[in-house]
Amino acid sequence: MDFLQQFGFLVYYLSQGLGVTLGVTAIALTTGLFFGTILGLMRVYGGPVLSRFAALYSLVIRGIPVIVVLFILFFVIAAFVNLSPFLAGALSLGIASSAYQSEIIRGAIMSVPPGQMMAARAIGMSRLKAILYVILPQAFRLAIPPWSNEAAIVLKDSSLVYVLGVPEILRRAQYVSARTHEPFIAYAAAALLYFALTFLTNRVLDAAERRFRLLM
Amino acid sequence: MSKLPIVRIENLHKKYGDTEVLKGISLEVQEQEVVVIIGPSGTGKSTMLRCINLLTIPDEGRIWLEDQEITAPHTDVNKIRQRIGMVFQDFNLFNHLTALGNVTIGLTKVLGMNKKEAHEKGMWELERVGLADKADLYPAQLSGGQKQRVAIARALGMDPHVMLFDEPTSALDPELIGEVLTVMQKLAREGMTMLVVTHEMGFAREVSDRIIFMEHGVIVEQGPPDQLFYAPKHNRTREFLWKITELYGKDRDNAAPASG
Ligand SMILES: Nc1ncnc2c1ncn2[C@@H]1O[C@H](COP(=O)(O)OP(=O)(O)O)[C@@H](O)[C@H]1O
Ligand SMILES: [Mg+2]
């Protein structure tokens, strides 16, 4: 009972970092989706120069451990603007994620049948309108399953911002561990929280996938 | 002054790599005319249709739509395409939109109509193809014949001056072909100018004013249906019509093939 109570308090204490974890994840995913979509569009429609640039960007970022990207961007960002570690960390994670998301969006765009673009052009849409109103709405729906996967990865990677001193779940677990000298319990509680979050995220996105599934 | 043709093609050439697909096509289509184009596959029929709305850019030759040369430099292709409706073999309905949404998206996003106007016009176009009751269904919930009729409604929504049909019934199960042909026949009667690539010889004979036989990138022969069916000038035309009637015409086409 005593142990359970202690564990309960611990989870409660860590969960105060929940907001930070969710905030970092949400900002990183949104940033990543924004740039990932632009990069994905560049890959497919950008012509030789832009598409090569986007491919190179993706190749380089995906070839570097996220934590290294995080450190580099954190110090690059810090050199130019005065951002809190929270924002700088979240944006850095987002930029790392944008490379992975660009691959997801590119794949999704390419699985929209080519006849869709042709039909859109045939009724007089410009290429931009066809992309905005016909291609992307379908591509986003097709992207939901791989995107859920990426969301779970970013959620877990959000723990990396603890190295910047952002008080999210893992950072708090570290405090507790240092104070109580019971690392197993502290980290087990953190693991439990992460698992619950990932599990919930996947469930929500599964539901979204069913709701928006594109029948062809 | 004689009446301006709706479409005029002059010496159209198109190459893909080293293969010359169109080798100098010239053609005029008058207002309210229904022209059926036949010919073996790989002959350049689709390429020719796609050149007319500039989905494919010709290498050589000129095309006029009414009084405008559309192959001239700096023409606005998006404006030109609004005047040309196109119907594809595999429908190409927008998968993420309902039947009504497929018709209205061009009205709102291209013509700039407001939602209410677009809704009314969209319903009216669906009515025209007999599908008002299917307005809220998605393409995946429609039969092939219904999909093609929605595709026709989508094209009609833009109030085109001419309609291009590229084998509109070739992807359909035989029992669904009739409903699409009926809609096309109705359009023809309403006076729509139409260019139709098809193997449906019954439709060609009953509805068209002129049949064009194309082979290897050239027009081999053209004329009124009776002439092509019963008195073709070229042996190739006769052979092709014979073959096509054998292949496609058994059930739906009870007239004698071009046997001389
Ligand atoms: N986009 C393209 N790229 C390369 N070759 C093409 C393309 N479109 C058509 N072709 C070729 O051009 C020829 C004529 O095609 P098409 O116009 O579709 O003929 P049809 O409609 O009469 O069957 C075919 O050999 C086809 O393979
Ligand atoms: Mg064809």
Side-chain angles (χ1 to χ4, degrees):
Chain A
M1 188 61 213
D2 197 37
F3 170 79
L4 273 185
Q5 215 164 24
Q6 244 185 342
F7 194 74
F9 278 129
L10 180 55
V11 170
Y12 172 72
Y13 174 74
L14 295 187
S15 67
Q16 291 175 324
L18 202 73
V20 179
T21 291
L22 288 176
V24 169
T25 306
I27 292 171
L29 278 175
T30 317
T31 313
L33 181 60
F34 179 76
F35 289 111
T37 301
I38 292 174
L39 289 161
L41 286 169
M42 280 162 64
R43 286 290 283 282
V44 184
Y45 299 112
V49 177
L50 289 180
S51 78
R52 228 170 270 168
F53 166 80
L56 186 69
Y57 173 92
S58 163
L59 188 72
V60 170
I61 300 266
R62 287 183 303 123
I64 302 173
V66 174
I67 191 150
V68 178
V69 177
L70 191 69
F71 272 126
I72 293 175
L73 288 176
F74 178 67
F75 291 114
V76 169
I77 292 176
F80 290 101
V81 279
N82 190 14
L83 285 185
S84 65
F86 169 83
L87 258 186
L91 289 177
S92 304
L93 276 181
I95 286 175
S97 176
S98 72
Y100 296 88
Q101 294 198 46
S102 76
E103 297 293 331
I104 292 171
I105 299 295
R106 167 175 171 262
I109 290 173
M110 296 204 317
S111 35
V112 175
Q116 298 286 306
M117 174 59 94
M118 210 178 13
R121 299 308 303 274
I123 55 171
M125 284 193 189
S126 64
R127 213 154 98 112
L128 181 65
K129 281 183 182 172
I131 289 170
L132 286 180
Y133 304 124
V134 175
I135 306 297
L136 276 185
Q138 297 188 49
F140 280 140
R141 283 168 169 83
L142 293 171
I144 297 176
W147 196 83
S148 327
N149 200 34
E150 174 66 11
I153 291 173
V154 170
L155 176 64
K156 288 181 284 182
D157 281 354
S158 73
S159 62
L160 296 174
V161 299
Y162 99 102
V163 299
L164 310 178
V166 179
E168 42 67 77
I169 294 171
L170 182 59
R171 187 79 185 179
R172 283 171 173 263
Q174 206 187 20
Y175 293 151
V176 175
S177 162
R179 209 166 307 151
T180 62
H181 302 292
E182 292 198 90
F184 175 76
I185 295 177
Y187 291 121
L192 188 73
L193 271 178
Y194 278 116
F195 175 77
L197 278 181
T198 310
F199 183 77
L200 269 177
T201 307
N202 280 336
R203 294 305 285 267
V204 169
L205 287 168
D206 277 354
E209 203 268 327
R210 277 193 300 278
R211 166 76 181 73
F212 293 109
R213 179 174 296 159
L214 188 64
L215 298 167
M216 296 209 234
Chain B
M1 192 181 112
S2 71
K3 210 153 186 255
L4 207 59
I6 291 223
V7 176
R8 183 151 74 90
I9 301 174
E10 208 178 85
N11 195 30
L12 180 65
H13 286 260
K14 179 69 192 177
K15 260 191 196 150
Y16 287 115
D18 286 338
T19 354
E20 194 167 25
V21 177
L22 298 178
K23 303 172 187 163
I25 300 270
S26 296
L27 175 66
E28 280 185 10
V29 180
Q30 305 299 326
E31 203 178 329
Q32 305 208 340
E33 201 181 7
V34 176
V35 176
V36 159
I37 299 154
I38 59 175
S41 86
T43 276
K45 306 181 298 293
S46 299
T47 305
M48 186 188 82
L49 283 196
R50 284 200 305 265
C51 282
I52 296 176
N53 67 357
L54 300 176
L55 283 176
T56 293
I57 303 301
D59 293 334
E60 214 184 295
R62 302 166 79 185
I63 301 173
W64 284 263
L65 181 63
E66 294 162 322
D67 57 355
Q68 184 186 11
E69 187 194 339
I70 64 175
T71 41
H74 311 301
T75 48
D76 182 348
V77 289
N78 299 323
K79 278 269 172 339
I80 290 164
R81 289 184 188 136
Q82 289 167 34
R83 284 189 278 153
I84 306 172
M86 183 146 197
V87 174
F88 304 91
Q89 178 173 341
D90 38 11
F91 329 125
N92 294 334
L93 286 184
F94 303 134
N95 297 308
H96 63 305
L97 298 174
T98 59
L100 181 61
N102 266 275
V103 184
T104 55
I105 190 163
L107 306 179
T108 53
K109 305 301 182 194
V110 178
L111 300 180
M113 273 187 201
N114 67 38
K115 279 227 162 72
K116 189 170 165 293
E117 279 177 308
H119 182 94
E120 272 168 28
K121 169 111 169 122
M123 285 309 293
W124 190 75
E125 297 298 353
L126 285 178
E127 194 91 51
R128 262 174 108 179
V129 299
L131 287 175
D133 58 328
K134 301 280 188 274
D136 294 329
L137 296 187
Y138 285 86
Q141 300 167 305
L142 299 171
S143 74
Q146 292 169 338
K147 282 186 210 177
Q148 195 59 298
R149 283 148 69 197
V150 172
I152 292 172
R154 172 176 69 182
L156 289 175
M158 309 301 289
D159 291 329
H161 300 192
V162 52
M163 288 277 289
L164 313 176
F165 295 83
D166 192 357
E167 303 202 31
T169 58
S170 295
L172 297 177
D173 292 336
E175 72 272 19
L176 301 177
I177 291 176
E179 60 187 81
V180 173
L181 293 180
T182 305
V183 166
M184 290 168 61
Q185 183 159 19
K186 190 177 132 211
L187 269 184
R189 266 205 308 271
E190 289 168 7
M192 178 61 75
T193 311
M194 295 163 55
L195 266 88
V196 186
V197 175
T198 185
H199 298 302
E200 293 297 325
M201 290 304 111
F203 176 86
R205 212 180 31 244
E206 277 160 41
V207 183
S208 79
D209 301 299
R210 178 159 46 124
I211 298 180
I212 291 179
F213 173 55
M214 250 178 94
E215 193 172 41
H216 304 315
V218 296
I219 292 177
V220 175
E221 178 167 1
Q222 57 177 308
D226 278 350
Q227 181 195 317
L228 254 83
F229 275 101
Y230 301 112
K233 293 197 184 77
H234 292 261
N235 255 334
R236 280 300 299 143
T237 315
R238 187 196 315 273
E239 282 164 22
F240 180 79
L241 280 167
W242 176 257
K243 207 165 71 194
I244 210 83
T245 315
E246 278 281 286
L247 272 179
Y248 295 89
K250 283 231 169 75
D251 309 323
R252 295 185 299 280
D253 192 77
N254 48 16
S259 51

